[in-house]
Amino acid sequence: MPELPEVETIRRQLAPAMQGRRLAGVEVLDARWCEPAPPSEVEDALRGRVVERLSRRGKYLVFELALRGDPSGPTPRGDVYLVMHLRMTGNLLLAPDAPRTRVRFELDSGDSVLFTDVRRFGTGVVLLGRDALDDYFRARLGVEPLSPDFTADALGELGRGRKAPVKAFLLNQERIAGVGNIYADEALFRARIHPLRPMGTLRRPQVAALRDAVVEVLEAGIDSRGATIDDFRNADGAEGAFQDRFLAYGREGEPCVRCGRPIRKLRAAGRGTYVCERCQPRPRPRT
Ligand SMILES: [Zn+2]
């Protein structure tokens, strides 16, 4: 599933082609993408608007749209936002045609941006006005990990008293936005913290190490243009390369790069989880 670095990679690649361009055409080919809103309503709300900015919050990609030119047209004035979640297999491609296309965006430059999605779990929601956008994210997402707000103090405050295993804590989008299964394992390995350790029991230096490790792996993921395990592709169709830099994820049975002990796979937060139990000691049972 695309996590923050994969969505950010798509955003950076599409922004130069989309920003300042008008959506000359929008075609929703799969009504499930925007339900319960009818496709025609979504198409009408987007068509003719100019992409002021392509932005990202957590794993969501946002088309920030404004009216330019004829303000007296049938579309109401004011800002409109298309909030997209790629879910399991969604991709946005800058290409004229691609298999499994669910939504087509035609730009006034002649370029096409296609939302492709094999599993069809990706979604699109149109929100009217900045307040609606802020409300939408406030209800769903916690701190943005690559923002200045994500400090060791902030993480310590968020985690205070939490009994949930640290892996489950990291995956909870309402606490930290954008971290998924791969980047959680990579961050915990780097910070030398066992995934089953209750979040609230981390000591201050561990919280600081975890904060730094989360930022480090997300930035490394962006530098590598994401990780391609199966479906993820860059906007130009190329694969990401971060999977070549994994230290823990997917390395079951391979030697730990630090101590040589085989990486183990276990379950944490309901997900396959990779860990070196020498470098990341198991929490001691409470007596
Ligand atoms: Zn190790």
Side-chain angles (χ1 to χ4, degrees), residues 189 256-261 276-280:
F189 178 84
C256 168
V257 295
R258 280 191 297 241
C259 74
R261 182 170 167 160
C276 171
E277 291 198 304
R278 182 175 291 161
C279 295
Q280 298 163 265

Side-chain angles (χ1 to χ4, degrees), residues 5-283:
E6 287 73 37
V7 178
E8 179 63 17
T9 295
I10 290 175
R11 189 197 72 74
R12 290 183 184 189
Q13 293 180 335
L14 287 181
M18 292 191 74
Q19 287 178 169
R21 289 295 174 186
R22 187 182 302 276
L23 293 178
V26 179
E27 202 179 349
V28 178
L29 304 166
D30 179 358
R32 195 168 110 183
W33 175 71
C34 57
E35 68 185 13
S40 59
E41 191 180 298
V42 170
E43 291 167 356
D44 290 347
L46 302 179
R47 195 182 296 119
R49 288 185 180 265
V50 172
V51 182
E52 298 267 280
R53 202 166 151 249
L54 208 58
S55 60
R56 179 194 55 73
R57 178 82 168 88
K59 301 178 194 173
Y60 291 85
L61 195 67
V62 183
F63 292 9
E64 302 191 8
L65 305 164
L67 270 190
R68 272 196 211 155
D70 179 16
S72 61
T75 322
R77 293 197 68 169
D79 298 335
V80 167
Y81 300 90
L82 172 63
V83 178
M84 301 182 67
H85 200 300
L86 308 178
R87 299 290 169 198
M88 303 282 289
T89 57
N91 278 318
L92 277 164
L93 300 175
L94 193 61
D97 284 296
R100 314 281 190 169
T101 296
R102 299 179 69 199
V103 188
R104 293 186 68 93
F105 303 95
E106 308 292 347
L107 306 177
D108 63 356
S109 59
D111 283 334
S112 304
V113 175
L114 309 178
F115 178 62
T116 68
D117 188 6
V118 174
R119 302 278 301 272
R120 299 175 62 221
F121 290 125
T123 57
V125 176
V126 173
L127 299 171
L128 306 180
R130 188 87 213 177
D131 289 350
L133 181 74
D134 291 344
D135 288 348
Y136 187 85
F137 286 140
R138 197 176 300 118
R140 289 167 175 79
L141 299 179
V143 63
E144 189 65 32
L146 296 183
S147 78
D149 298 337
F150 186 59
T151 60
D153 284 343
L155 181 58
E157 197 56 45
L158 282 173
R160 189 186 306 277
R162 300 276 166 203
K163 296 192 175 74
V166 57
K167 168 105 184 225
F169 178 89
L170 289 175
L171 295 183
N172 185 339
Q173 301 299 298
E174 294 175 25
R175 309 249 180 262
I176 304 169
V179 179
N181 201 37
I182 292 172
Y183 292 90
D185 282 8
E186 291 295 308
L188 289 167
F189 178 84
R190 283 163 173 80
R192 301 179 184 241
I193 297 169
H194 197 282
L196 295 176
R197 182 85 186 261
M199 179 64 198
T201 67
L202 297 185
R203 292 187 302 276
R204 167 82 203 181
Q206 291 177 305
V207 170
L210 181 58
R211 181 265 167 205
D212 290 348
V214 166
V215 172
E216 185 187 309
V217 297
L218 294 176
E219 287 181 343
I222 293 169
D223 284 347
S224 299
R225 301 184 174 200
T228 297
I229 305 298
D230 39 71
D231 293 288
F232 173 72
R233 294 291 182 276
N234 285 199
D236 60 4
E239 297 191 353
F242 192 58
Q243 66 279 5
D244 301 332
R245 295 170 65 186
F246 288 164
L247 299 182
Y249 186 86
R251 298 191 68 245
E252 184 179 18
E254 294 176 39
C256 168
V257 295
R258 280 191 297 241
C259 74
R261 182 170 167 160
I263 297 284
R264 275 198 61 195
K265 184 177 184 182
L266 48 87
R267 275 190 98 68
R271 308 292 299 274
T273 296
Y274 298 88
V275 58
C276 171
E277 291 198 304
R278 182 175 291 161
C279 295
Q280 298 163 265
R282 258 186 191 261

